[in-house]
Amino acid sequence: MRSIYQILLLILSVTGYCSCHQASNQSKKNIKEIDTDTCSSKYDTTIYLQFSKDSSNHDFDQLIKLIEGKGEFSRYHRKRHDIDSVSQSGVYLQKLLCYDLFEKSPIKKYVLQNVYSTWMRLYSIKPLKGTKDYFPAFEITQLNFVNTEEKKRAYQTIREIGWGNPLFKWNDYYIVNSKTRIYILESKAAMFSEIRDRYARIIQKEWAILY
């Protein structure tokens, strides 16, 4: 009889262990599902918005001359003596829908078709204060629109989705809004943010009212 009781106790203990083990696994599964469900969607989505094209860049060149006229920055790299600049048609925006998942987060994407953009990097003529060989730089992008209505639609979309790559560790920018242009300034380094913001305010005060 004692051996039968021992067998029964062994069966009950194994059954109890299995039940607890399954409950623990189910609990972990539920937690994972709750974390994932904080995203509004589990899949990437892409939305295309159509715009009219304005590929003029004369005003962008005049803007760069305005910045260079302040005597601090130049479009020319001080060693290579060349220019880093790109013009293209179409703007790509992306936003993480679930920052808790980061790289695994679904992404909401917008393509602003036909929006003409010009990008340039500007280099400091003098080194950063307190250094000898560290030269600040910032980047400026101009987006062209044929009228105020289309510019407003793009501006609202950029404010909602954001600019740049959301997976980058440092993705900070300053937007200047004008009648038919949007200017976006990026510093790529936290220590250059003050310089970037100062020139953004210069553009807003002295230039954006013209366009």
Side-chain angles (χ1 to χ4, degrees):
M1 291 293 293
R2 182 176 301 177
S3 59
I4 295 175
Y5 284 127
Q6 290 175 343
I7 293 172
L8 288 174
L9 287 172
L10 178 63
I11 293 173
L12 289 173
S13 63
V14 171
T15 304
Y17 168 79
C18 292
S19 298
C20 292
H21 184 64
Q22 290 173 354
S24 177
N25 284 343
Q26 185 64 38
S27 176
K28 291 179 181 178
K29 182 179 178 182
N30 289 340
I31 291 172
K32 185 177 181 180
E33 288 177 352
I34 290 171
D35 290 342
T36 304
D37 288 341
T38 59
C39 305
S40 59
S41 171
K42 293 183 176 65
Y43 304 98
D44 292 354
T45 57
T46 303
I47 299 172
Y48 295 87
L49 299 179
Q50 190 70 29
F51 292 84
S52 303
K53 189 173 182 178
D54 174 7
S55 58
S56 59
N57 55 19
H58 175 72
D59 57 309
F60 182 77
D61 186 62
Q62 295 301 311
L63 171 60
I64 299 303
K65 288 180 180 179
L66 171 69
I67 295 173
E68 289 177 321
K70 303 299 180 182
E72 293 183 299
F73 285 84
S74 170
R75 71 185 78 188
Y76 295 99
H77 191 279
R78 66 187 186 88
K79 291 184 178 180
R80 302 193 311 263
H81 305 292
D82 60 1
I83 300 173
D84 291 325
S85 182
V86 176
S87 295
Q88 60 186 8
S89 182
V91 172
Y92 178 75
L93 308 173
Q94 53 183 343
K95 178 181 181 179
L96 299 183
L97 294 179
C98 187
Y99 278 93
D100 291 340
L101 298 180
F102 201 56
E103 291 183 352
K104 295 182 180 180
S105 168
I107 298 176
K108 186 176 184 180
K109 306 172 184 177
Y110 273 78
V111 180
L112 311 186
Q113 295 181 304
N114 288 328
V115 172
Y116 187 80
S117 67
T118 306
W119 167 92
M120 182 177 288
R121 180 179 288 118
L122 294 162
Y123 300 95
S124 176
I125 296 173
K126 298 178 181 180
L128 190 67
K129 188 175 181 180
T131 71
K132 293 183 179 180
D133 300 309
Y134 204 47
F135 289 78
F138 70 89
E139 301 170 2
I140 180 170
T141 301
Q142 175 179 296
L143 307 181
N144 291 9
F145 302 92
V146 298
N147 55 52
T148 303
E149 288 70 28
E150 290 202 354
K151 188 273 308 182
K152 286 181 179 178
R153 185 158 63 107
Y155 179 72
Q156 291 171 356
T157 304
I158 293 171
R159 297 293 294 182
E160 175 194 350
I161 302 301
W163 182 263
N165 191 334
L167 295 176
F168 283 175
K169 184 177 181 180
W170 175 258
N171 183 36
D172 193 26
Y173 50 87
Y174 194 119
I175 299 178
V176 178
N177 190 20
S178 72
K179 289 182 283 187
T180 59
R181 300 288 189 262
I182 295 174
Y183 306 98
I184 301 161
L185 284 78
E186 302 170 84
S187 61
K188 301 301 183 185
M191 67 178 65
F192 303 153
S193 295
E194 186 278 328
I195 295 172
R196 176 205 63 199
D197 293 353
R198 177 158 52 86
Y199 274 88
R201 290 191 292 270
I202 289 173
I203 294 172
Q204 194 163 27
K205 183 178 179 180
E206 300 182 25
W207 183 259
I209 57 173
L210 303 175
Y211 295 92

